[in-house]
Amino acid sequence: MTHLRKMMLEELQRRNYAETTIESYIRAVEDFSRHFNCSPDRLGPRHIREYQAELFQKRKFSPNTVAQHLAALRFFYVKTLKKAWSITETPYPKKAIHLPTILSHEEVARLIDAARPALHRTLLMALYATGLRRAELARLKVSDVDSQRMVIHVQGGKGRKDRDVLLSPTLLDELRRHWRRLRRKPSVWLFPGKSSHASDQPITPKVIYHACKRAARRAGLPDGVHPHTLRHCFATHLLEAGADLRTIQMLLGHSDLEETTIYLHLSQRHLNATASPLDSLKLKDESPQGQ
């Protein structure tokens, strides 16, 4: 599949897809090929339908994950191989909409305090303080931290968009401690890779993922806690503190305000401020006796 992989990679890069999307798309096509032990250019709609059933029935993937795999296959066939793709023959599954897990302030503090080593604590503090995605955090540069304006510049976030996010004084102090801990001061990346933290490449998003999962286990928090949970907590806690949705939208880098309105469903302040219509009814003090 080397030649086909190269072709697909070039098509993805030519369209300026994000690195995380490129990796997931190529992995999905490679997995599809391995499932049938056959080059994917020799497979067709019947194989795609069988593969989709496999993802649902045997691997128990969620509808959203299956849809991502199908998107990768559609890109491969339409953009790389220039073949037709029939939505009728290979329909996308309906997406499942789940409200994300939200931790209380106390639970977030427990999570951060449970992080080991010190770098992991810094990473979790940064996630919660800024609302960054883990891929955005991993690729922060030293020059992105603007202590004069108290902002962090996010370059090439999701959708290749730049934005500024909050730099809290507490996080700034932590980042300075992180800097002092580094034996070799980096010239580019704020969080250099490798165990020595002296690599010319940044840490990978996987490092942040495992840092969060391990801290969650130590803190006795649910299995569903992951780096994106802290992004959800950032937005929900800001909303509960009185920030408006438009500001939160800009900080999160959402292209559509509708994406941000999910936090209205998660905000305890907004839920408590809304009265049930039952409370406005004038009912008798007691229910009638019997059935």
Side-chain angles (χ1 to χ4, degrees):
M1 186 177 165
T2 305
H3 176 62
L4 291 175
R5 188 182 190 279
K6 183 174 182 293
M7 286 175 59
M8 184 176 180
L9 180 61
E10 288 173 351
E11 289 294 330
L12 287 162
Q13 292 173 336
R14 195 160 61 87
R15 288 169 173 80
N16 203 27
Y17 274 60
E19 287 297 323
T20 51
T21 304
I22 291 174
E23 290 173 7
S24 65
Y25 272 30
I26 288 179
R27 277 200 309 268
V29 175
E30 289 175 340
D31 183 74
F32 175 61
S33 177
R34 279 195 301 270
H35 177 72
F36 293 101
N37 194 26
C38 181
S39 180
D41 59 337
R42 295 166 57 189
L43 302 172
R46 176 177 64 82
H47 301 95
I48 295 171
R49 289 195 299 273
E50 182 182 326
Y51 179 67
Q52 184 175 359
E54 158 87 9
L55 297 181
F56 268 124
Q57 297 168 9
K58 293 187 178 179
R59 302 199 198 179
K60 306 298 182 183
F61 283 1
S62 70
N64 294 357
T65 303
V66 174
Q68 289 171 2
H69 278 69
L70 287 179
L73 294 178
R74 183 176 186 273
F75 183 95
F76 175 73
Y77 281 98
V78 175
K79 304 298 184 184
T80 306
L81 300 183
K82 313 301 181 187
K83 291 185 176 181
W85 176 280
S86 172
I87 295 294
T88 305
E89 290 190 28
T90 51
Y92 282 80
K94 287 186 177 180
K95 287 192 174 183
I97 300 176
H98 301 292
L99 292 179
T101 299
I102 299 298
L103 304 177
S104 67
H105 290 82
E106 293 75 15
E107 288 173 323
V108 172
R110 278 169 49 200
L111 177 68
I112 293 173
D113 285 339
R116 303 285 187 280
L119 171 65
H120 289 186
R121 177 184 173 88
T122 304
L123 293 172
L124 298 191
M125 288 179 69
L127 285 175
Y128 180 63
T130 62
L132 292 181
R133 301 173 180 92
R134 59 187 172 117
E136 294 171 340
L137 178 62
R139 297 190 65 81
L140 279 184
K141 297 178 180 179
V142 175
S143 57
D144 291 332
V145 180
D146 187 343
S147 59
Q148 295 299 312
R149 295 179 54 224
M150 291 303 288
V151 296
I152 293 176
H153 306 296
V154 181
Q155 302 181 48
K158 189 173 182 180
R160 300 292 185 182
K161 292 183 293 186
D162 297 349
R163 71 184 189 280
D164 285 348
V165 297
L166 306 169
L167 173 58
S168 80
T170 302
L171 178 59
L172 179 58
D173 288 343
E174 179 63 23
L175 291 177
R176 284 171 172 162
R177 283 192 289 271
H178 161 69
W179 181 264
R180 289 194 293 269
R181 287 194 300 265
L182 295 174
R183 293 181 180 178
R184 175 186 167 190
K185 307 307 180 188
S187 58
V188 179
W189 305 109
L190 183 59
F191 301 113
K194 294 188 178 178
S195 57
S196 62
H197 310 304
S199 172
D200 291 331
Q201 296 298 318
I203 59 171
T204 66
K206 283 185 178 180
V207 171
I208 301 172
Y209 177 84
H210 291 303
C212 186
K213 297 298 287 186
R214 289 166 185 161
R217 282 197 297 271
R218 289 194 195 97
L221 296 173
D223 289 339
V225 173
H226 48 77
H228 219 71
T229 302
L230 289 174
R231 177 173 163 86
H232 294 315
C233 292
F234 165 82
T236 304
H237 293 169
L238 275 183
L239 191 61
E240 290 177 341
D244 62 273
L245 277 177
R246 174 59 179 157
T247 299
I248 296 171
Q249 176 196 1
M250 294 173 63
L251 291 173
L252 293 177
H254 286 167
S255 56
D256 192 327
L257 186 61
E258 187 175 345
E259 292 181 76
T260 318
T261 57
I262 188 175
Y263 298 109
L264 288 172
H265 297 282
L266 302 169
S267 167
Q268 201 67 39
R269 180 174 70 89
H270 286 77
L271 291 176
N272 293 341
T274 305
S276 167
L278 176 64
D279 297 334
S280 64
L281 299 183
K282 295 181 179 180
L283 302 174
K284 294 180 179 179
D285 291 338
E286 296 181 2
S287 300
Q289 297 297 319
Q291 297 295 324

